[in-house]
């Protein structure tokens, strides 16, 4: 029997039931669904729609259902269309007519929107933790990197040397922005739609603020139509996961490059690599590759949901059931990628000698030579041209740039000292630059920013835990 058998006779066509059911994936909302139901019982009691005894019986039945679900002992029936109908059916089985009062003044439309917001708030807290863990791991690896340096690239061509710590911290800053975006998204999730009913509120004296308070939401809705049809919070979280996934894909690509024989900058710990079923010598960076690959799926989940939402008339439409799978998938996949990459970075060893050899390429000193001339009064465009000529001469003659500089007019031993190993990176002294002097300041600012983000993350985790 369906919940609407008063209006529609007979059962559902089997194919129709299979096509429309969401139970297979919305089961994971059970915890949120029971929380929402407990809060709704408080609302019903505050409105005098159930007695104290009835409220106790309802909460006891909800707790029993929680135990069954927790122990995997809950028996789902073929007629349970989704987790909401399954729970209500079971509560009614347990306590009869009192159970039948649970859905008073409530619709699955405000119920599912509430459940999904509760689930999303937890997901945000989990993701923020995983993002900050990875950002912290990179920050700690940067500390261990000391004064190691490697070539910095533009166009994947060697450009100027940078400290390895500077390079690793670049990824931390991107992750910190991801965490900030998650905090920001959380602000808009933090609103309770419970009490909006099917779309228009209720004729019963229910106050949405009662349930909102109990669920730990800071506010409730101003417009019931908006409350039941708003899935902006899902789209926003999917954007946050897609962009963070894009960051991870860049890190994954870099690990793939760095661990190749061609670069030889890094070796991953065995636990974070796989072998080949055929080639005995292989050590493959699969976790890094998958972190790179998952970005496609995360972007797909975002664009898929936006396409679903586009053009939907107010208010609830069944299309909205399509919000859950991309949301659950993106959160799980991103979290998996964050944890795997964290393991890769925490255990990676960097081949700093190979990095230094690549970075001490004479050509990387070209801009320092041009700036050396600038300090001595040559306009930069002129010195750029002049040094460019020396580089091209060195390439033509197949000799090192320093050998050409040694013979060129206007330079001398002082200019030649620029070619000393590591000199180019030590000379990057401007704020935010790649050398050790700004690097020390950056270390402090990143440590502070991570502490601030951690404090915000624990406030978030504390709030969802107590909700
Ligand atoms: N399973 C549905 C969903 O996920 C629940 C809401 C159904 N509401 C309705 N009026 N059919 O969106």
């Amino acid at each position: 029997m369906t919940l609407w058998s008063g209006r529609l006779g007979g059962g559902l066509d089997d194919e129709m039931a299979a096509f429309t059911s969401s139970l297979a994936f919305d089961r994971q909302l059970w915890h949120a669904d029971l929380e929402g139901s407990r809060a709704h019982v408080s609302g019903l009691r505050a409105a005098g729609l159930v007695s104290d005894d009835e409220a106790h019986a309802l909460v006891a039945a909800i707790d029993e259902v929680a135990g069954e679900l927790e122990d995997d002992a809950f028996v789902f029936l073929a007629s349970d269309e989704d987790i909401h109908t399954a729970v209500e059916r079971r509560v009614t089985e347990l306590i009869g007519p009192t159970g039948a009062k649970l859905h008073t003044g409530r619709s699955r439309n405000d119920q599912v929107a509430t459940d999904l917001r509760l689930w999303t708030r937890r997901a945000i807290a989990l993701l923020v933790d995983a993002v900050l863990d990875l950002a912290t791991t990179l920050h700690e690896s940067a500390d261990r990197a000391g004064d190691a340096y490697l070539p910095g690239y533009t166009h994947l061509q060697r450009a100027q040397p940078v400290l390895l710590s500077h390079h690793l911290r670049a990824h931390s800053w991107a992750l910190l922005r991801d965490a900030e975006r998650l905090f920001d998204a959380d602000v808009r999730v933090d609103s309770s739609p419970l009490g909006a009913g099917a779309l228009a509120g209720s004729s019963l004296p229910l106050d949405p603020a009662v349930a909102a308070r109990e669920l730990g939401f800071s506010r409730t809705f101003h417009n019931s139509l908006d409350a039941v049809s708003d899935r902006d919070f899902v789209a926003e979280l999917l954007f946050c996961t897609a962009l963070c996934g894009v960051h991870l894909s860049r890190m994954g690509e870099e690990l793939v490059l760095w661990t190749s024989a061609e670069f030889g900058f890094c070796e991953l710990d065995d636990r974070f690599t796989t072998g080949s079923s055929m080639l005995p010598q292989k050590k493959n960076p699969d976790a890094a590759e998958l972190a790179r690959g998952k970005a496609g799926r995360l972007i797909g989940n975002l664009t898929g949901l936006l396409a679903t939402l586009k053009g939907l008339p107010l208010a609830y439409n069944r299309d909205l059931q399509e919000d859950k799978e991309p949301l659950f998938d993106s959160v799980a996949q991103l979290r998996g990628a964050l944890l795997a990459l964290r393991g890769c970075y925490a255990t990676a060893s960097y081949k700093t000698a190979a990095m230094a050899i690549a970075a001490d390429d004479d050509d990387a000193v070209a801009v320092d030579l041009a700036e050396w001339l600038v300090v001595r009064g040559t306009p930069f465009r002129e010195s750029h041209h002049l040094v460019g000529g020396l580089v091209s001469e060195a390439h033509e003659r197949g000799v090192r740039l320093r050998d050409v500089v040694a013979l060129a007019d206007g330079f001398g031993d002082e200019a030649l000292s620029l070619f000393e190993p590591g000199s180019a990176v030590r000379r990057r002294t401007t704020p935010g630059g790649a050398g050790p002097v700004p690097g020390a300041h950056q270390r402090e600012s990143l440590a502070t920013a991570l502490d601030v983000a951690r404090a915000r993350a624990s406030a978030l985790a504390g709030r969802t835990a107590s909700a």
Side-chain angles (χ1 to χ4, degrees):
M1 199 175 84
T2 56
L3 294 177
W4 45 87
S5 56
R7 166 71 176 85
L8 305 177
L12 275 188
D13 171 83
D14 285 350
E15 295 299 342
M16 158 77 181
F19 178 60
T20 54
S21 170
S22 52
L23 188 59
F25 50 87
D26 67 18
R27 267 172 202 227
Q28 60 171 302
L29 288 177
W30 73 262
H31 202 274
D33 196 68
L34 297 181
E35 249 180 281
S37 285
R38 284 191 197 95
H40 186 57
V41 171
S42 301
L44 292 173
R45 183 157 63 168
L49 293 165
V50 296
S51 67
D52 283 357
D53 286 350
E54 286 172 325
H56 283 130
L58 280 164
V59 170
I62 291 168
D63 289 345
E64 192 167 338
V65 171
E68 291 176 0
L69 284 160
E70 190 86 63
D71 301 343
D72 237 346
F74 188 99
V75 182
F76 287 98
L77 303 183
S79 55
D80 293 336
E81 183 185 285
D82 53 28
I83 188 66
H84 326 291
T85 52
V87 167
E88 190 191 338
R89 190 251 315 145
R90 182 71 184 130
V91 167
T92 311
E93 268 170 24
L94 288 170
I95 53 170
T98 306
K101 294 192 173 185
L102 177 60
H103 211 53
T104 310
R106 183 176 74 169
S107 156
R108 277 185 301 156
N109 300 351
D110 57 347
Q111 187 179 0
V112 71
T114 306
D115 292 3
L116 206 56
R117 283 176 183 269
L118 289 169
W119 188 94
T120 301
R121 283 199 308 182
R122 292 232 161 80
I124 288 178
L126 276 180
L127 285 180
V128 165
D129 272 347
V131 167
L132 291 178
D133 284 349
L134 178 56
T136 305
T137 295
L138 285 157
H139 174 59
E140 289 165 358
S141 307
D143 277 349
R144 285 195 301 276
D147 54 9
Y149 57 93
L150 74 160
Y153 296 83
T154 63
H155 314 271
L156 202 58
Q157 306 287 320
R158 287 178 192 164
Q160 287 182 281
V162 296
L163 284 179
L164 175 57
S165 57
H166 191 63
H167 190 110
L168 294 171
R169 289 202 169 99
H171 293 310
S172 274
W173 289 109
L175 290 165
L176 258 175
R177 290 194 296 278
D178 289 327
E180 279 161 15
R181 248 183 299 279
L182 287 166
F183 292 132
D184 193 39
D186 182 75
V187 172
R188 279 172 296 282
V189 185
D190 187 15
S191 171
S192 174
L194 197 58
L199 75 165
S202 175
S203 68
L204 301 168
L206 280 162
D207 178 4
V210 175
R213 238 190 332 269
E214 186 162 324
L215 292 171
F217 285 112
S218 337
R219 57 189 196 283
T220 176
F221 55 92
H222 296 288
N223 183 309
S224 58
L225 290 170
D226 183 40
V228 291
S229 61
D230 171 18
R231 294 293 184 278
D232 293 2
F233 67 98
V234 181
E236 276 194 68
L237 183 54
L238 289 181
F239 174 72
C240 294
T241 58
L243 186 55
C244 183
V246 166
H247 293 148
L248 300 193
S249 79
R250 299 178 65 183
M251 294 161 67
E253 164 70 355
E254 185 173 279
L255 287 175
V256 170
L257 288 174
W258 284 14
T259 53
S260 69
E262 283 68 17
F263 272 78
F265 286 177
C266 174
E267 181 165 0
L268 295 175
D269 188 87
D270 288 1
R271 282 173 303 154
F272 293 94
T273 56
T274 58
S276 155
S277 57
M278 178 174 168
L279 310 175
Q281 84 282 14
K282 292 303 292 294
K283 179 169 178 179
N284 295 326
D286 290 34
E289 290 169 277
L290 273 172
R292 184 177 62 188
K294 296 286 183 193
R297 177 166 169 176
L298 298 173
I299 295 165
N301 284 341
L302 168 65
T303 54
L305 179 77
L306 290 173
T308 299
L309 297 179
K310 179 192 169 297
L312 281 187
L314 287 174
Y316 179 84
N317 298 274
R318 191 65 179 266
D319 314 45
L320 291 177
Q321 184 167 289
E322 291 296 306
D323 57 3
K324 288 165 208 65
E325 283 164 293
L327 176 65
F328 298 162
D329 182 59
S330 286
V331 169
Q333 295 303 325
L334 180 67
R335 187 149 182 273
L338 286 162
L339 301 183
L341 274 189
R342 184 189 186 199
C344 289
Y345 280 106
T347 56
S349 44
Y350 296 100
K351 313 248 184 96
T352 52
M355 288 179 169
I357 289 170
D360 286 329
D361 177 340
D362 272 22
D363 286 2
V365 178
V367 76
D368 283 2
L369 278 173
E371 287 174 3
W372 186 86
L373 290 172
V374 164
V375 172
R376 281 149 192 82
T378 313
F380 179 71
R381 204 33 72 209
E382 206 176 299
S383 67
H384 181 283
H385 184 79
L386 205 145
V387 175
L390 300 179
V391 170
S392 123
E393 187 186 332
H395 284 215
E396 271 161 28
R397 289 175 41 207
V399 297
R400 295 177 309 172
L401 179 59
R402 74 185 68 181
D403 300 329
V404 176
V405 170
L407 300 175
D409 287 342
F411 294 95
D413 286 351
E414 201 186 322
L416 284 175
S417 73
L418 298 176
F419 288 95
E420 276 164 24
S423 158
V425 78
R426 286 191 296 275
R427 293 170 64 83
R428 308 269 81 80
T429 48
T430 47
V437 172
H441 294 294
Q442 178 186 183
R443 190 201 171 280
E444 294 318 306
S445 346
L446 182 59
T448 308
L450 285 169
D451 283 349
V452 170
R454 277 284 178 208
R456 286 180 80 181
S458 26
L460 210 71
R463 192 200 57 184
T464 55
S466 63

